[in-house]
Amino acid sequence: MLNVELKASNRIEITASGRVEMQAMKAALDRLIALAEPLQHVTCLADMTDVTLPGADAIRAEIDRLPKVEDLLGKIDKAAVVTNQAWIAEAAKGAADRFPALDIRIYQSHEHDRARAWLSGTDNLV
């Protein structure tokens, strides 16, 4: 399952679980790109719990959209990745290294409230 939604005027939430196949990856990336296109100073909450590695065709769909995805990453100021999996946390750290202007923080799967608070700038209240 892969879902992309605009939850606030500039906050996009991505939810993924299970195995992501090509059609779901294409649809989610296209929606993500379309939602983010008119926005500035985007924040992103990515809830990636119990995700299995995507199939080769899903990875190919992501590679096909890489230039647009990279443009999108340039619009994101802050991203909170909520996960229960080390490989996803490591991938998020890799993205942070590649895009130093993007502030990425990783949270455990039970820390949704902390992640949302950090994105909204109210983390000192939680």
Side-chain angles (χ1 to χ4, degrees), residues 28-41:
L29 288 172
D30 290 345
R31 178 156 171 74
L32 180 60
I33 291 163
L35 285 175
E37 190 170 30
L39 304 178
Q40 297 297 319
H41 303 292

Side-chain angles (χ1 to χ4, degrees), residues 27-104:
L29 288 172
D30 290 345
R31 178 156 171 74
L32 180 60
I33 291 163
L35 285 175
E37 190 170 30
L39 304 178
Q40 297 297 319
H41 303 292
V42 177
T43 62
C44 181
L45 175 69
D47 182 353
M48 312 295 239
T49 306
D50 298 324
V51 176
T52 59
L53 285 171
D57 56 348
I59 293 170
R60 193 169 37 256
E62 187 172 1
I63 290 170
D64 289 347
R65 289 160 177 76
L66 202 52
K68 288 184 179 184
V69 171
E70 287 182 344
D71 289 346
L72 164 72
L73 290 174
K75 293 179 145 220
I76 299 174
D77 293 340
K78 295 165 67 171
V81 178
V82 178
T83 188
N84 61 347
Q85 296 171 278
W87 71 271
I88 292 175
E90 289 302 315
K93 289 176 188 173
D97 290 343
R98 181 158 180 192
F99 299 93
L102 173 56
D103 190 0
I104 297 178

